[in-house]
Amino acid sequence: MFSKIWTKKSTNDCSGPIDTLRQVLSHADAVVIGAGAGLSTSAGFTYDGERFREYFSDFASKYGFTDMYSGGFYPYPTMEEYWAYWSRYICINRYQDAPKPVYQGLFSLVKDKDYFVLTTNVDHCFQKAGFDKKRLFYTQGDYGLFQCSEPCCQETYDNDKLIRQMVEAQGYIIAPDGQLTVPENTILKTYIPSELVPHCPHCGRPMSMNLRADDTFVEDVGWHTAADRYSEFLRRHEGQRILFLELGVGYNTPVIIKYPFWRMTAKNPNAFYACINQGQAVCPPEIERQSVCIHADIGAMIAQL
């Protein structure tokens, strides 16, 4: 039983905890993956440094910000500039594959298990790596969806085609794999044509991304269907040997993944909690005896597993 496996709360020597986690994974009746931003960071989706400079050096020179997050909150003077920025952002963080095969490695670990994924990530990496979309719950939205900015209805809209048009209008060429190139002697534009600015097809208000930032977030039919599937998965495996595998979850929204995982582990003596997180791998004393917490790069640990 999982409850008889004991490890220290956290460790920098990963060999023992990895062996324990490998054993638990092998015998688990079910696996619930809870994924945060740290998982995508490990896969190479970084938002500053060289990757930022590659795609946003012109915006950085013009507006003065130094990372993609800051650029997302910049008060652009026009919607044409706003969507020029966001279309590039969405294109490289939603429609490109992650630089490192971390998600693919994770899928190889659980593809033959009864699994479910709960994630606050909005970059679609799970589906691109082969995970079954019926086993995914994206609680915070999806870069690939638009919604009305002042929701007149609970609908979302696929944005793939329009995002590509916006990016191409700035001067980029988009390869079949989503990679962006700039033709020789081309100076990129930091705005898009006005006719490409998206508006709600029902009320005509400006569109926004389907991202949970405030009370305007749209929970559409797909969102509620995924929530119901997650609840049913937990109900079906109640009391069984279930592994709660938390990857890269910080403390911005701990009530979505971290705290529920702790509570469900404490409630079920057959459950096991595993946390892999660079610098933030902890668990409460109440579940120490049925947990492993590993301070390490997620991708490196998945490779060892």
Side-chain angles (χ1 to χ4, degrees):
M1 291 172 55
F2 290 179
S3 57
K4 294 182 179 178
I5 299 174
W6 180 89
T7 65
K8 295 180 181 179
K9 182 167 76 170
S10 62
T11 179
N12 291 316
D13 178 10
C14 301
S15 57
I18 282 292
D19 289 340
T20 299
L21 180 52
R22 187 182 294 115
Q23 178 185 355
V24 169
L25 179 61
S26 175
H27 293 93
D29 297 315
V31 179
V32 180
I33 297 171
L39 178 59
S40 286
T41 299
S42 179
F45 270 172
T46 54
Y47 290 77
D48 56 9
E50 182 57 35
R51 191 164 179 264
F52 168 75
R53 290 188 291 272
E54 179 179 357
Y55 295 107
F56 296 101
S57 59
D58 52 349
F59 276 88
S61 297
K62 186 174 182 179
Y63 301 107
F65 50 77
T66 57
D67 63 81
M68 294 186 210
Y69 283 122
S70 300
F73 292 100
Y74 189 87
Y76 298 97
T78 68
M79 294 301 293
E80 287 79 3
E81 291 165 279
Y82 173 89
W83 281 111
Y85 177 81
W86 270 103
S87 61
R88 289 192 206 179
Y89 185 108
I90 293 169
C91 189
I92 66 170
N93 293 311
R94 170 60 168 78
Y95 294 112
Q96 284 185 6
D97 290 336
K100 302 176 185 178
V102 174
Y103 281 88
Q104 289 82 353
L106 179 60
F107 180 58
S108 71
L109 291 178
V110 302
K111 64 181 180 180
D112 296 324
K113 308 293 291 187
D114 195 0
Y115 71 84
F116 202 97
V117 175
L118 176 69
T119 182
T120 54
N121 294 345
V122 294
D123 50 27
H124 212 64
C125 283
F126 282 101
Q127 275 182 252
K128 287 186 288 186
F131 286 79
D132 183 353
K133 67 179 181 181
K134 293 183 179 179
R135 294 172 177 262
L136 301 174
F137 182 20
Y138 294 96
T139 64
Q140 305 297 80
D142 184 345
Y143 282 144
L145 298 175
F146 285 155
Q147 65 166 68
C148 181
S149 58
E150 298 179 36
C152 60
C153 60
Q154 295 298 300
E155 292 184 23
T156 58
Y157 310 89
D158 290 336
N159 64 25
D160 184 8
K161 182 178 179 180
L162 187 54
I163 289 296
R164 290 175 181 274
Q165 290 175 342
M166 292 181 188
V167 171
E168 289 171 342
Q170 295 172 65
Y172 280 106
I173 293 176
I174 306 177
D177 64 356
Q179 296 301 310
L180 304 183
T181 57
V182 182
E184 189 176 356
N185 299 322
T186 296
I187 298 176
L188 293 173
K189 300 181 177 68
T190 55
Y191 58 89
I192 63 168
S194 298
E195 60 267 22
L196 293 181
V197 173
H199 293 85
C200 176
H202 296 294
C203 70
R205 292 189 181 96
M207 289 285 219
S208 62
M209 281 72 65
N210 180 230
L211 306 176
R212 190 186 298 277
D214 52 35
D215 59 4
T216 64
F217 177 69
V218 167
E219 297 176 355
D220 64 6
V221 172
W223 189 96
H224 285 285
T225 299
D228 291 343
R229 286 175 178 152
Y230 178 56
S231 296
E232 172 58 22
F233 184 91
L234 294 176
R235 186 203 63 75
R236 181 158 48 88
H237 292 288
E238 187 173 358
Q240 295 183 6
R241 294 177 298 183
I242 185 167
L243 169 61
F244 293 99
L245 180 58
E246 181 189 303
L247 303 172
V249 176
Y251 283 91
N252 287 334
T253 53
V255 297
I256 296 175
I257 296 173
K258 187 178 294 292
Y259 295 167
F261 277 21
W262 289 354
R263 286 195 297 268
M264 288 187 286
T265 302
K267 184 179 179 181
N268 178 8
N270 291 316
F272 196 89
Y273 170 76
C275 176
I276 306 176
N277 198 337
Q278 189 78 59
Q280 294 189 30
V282 298
C283 72
E286 291 82 356
I287 63 170
E288 274 188 336
R289 296 184 67 86
Q290 55 194 111
S291 301
V292 290
C293 297
I294 304 170
H295 295 287
D297 175 71
I298 298 169
M301 293 302 98
I302 289 174
Q304 287 193 38
L305 286 169

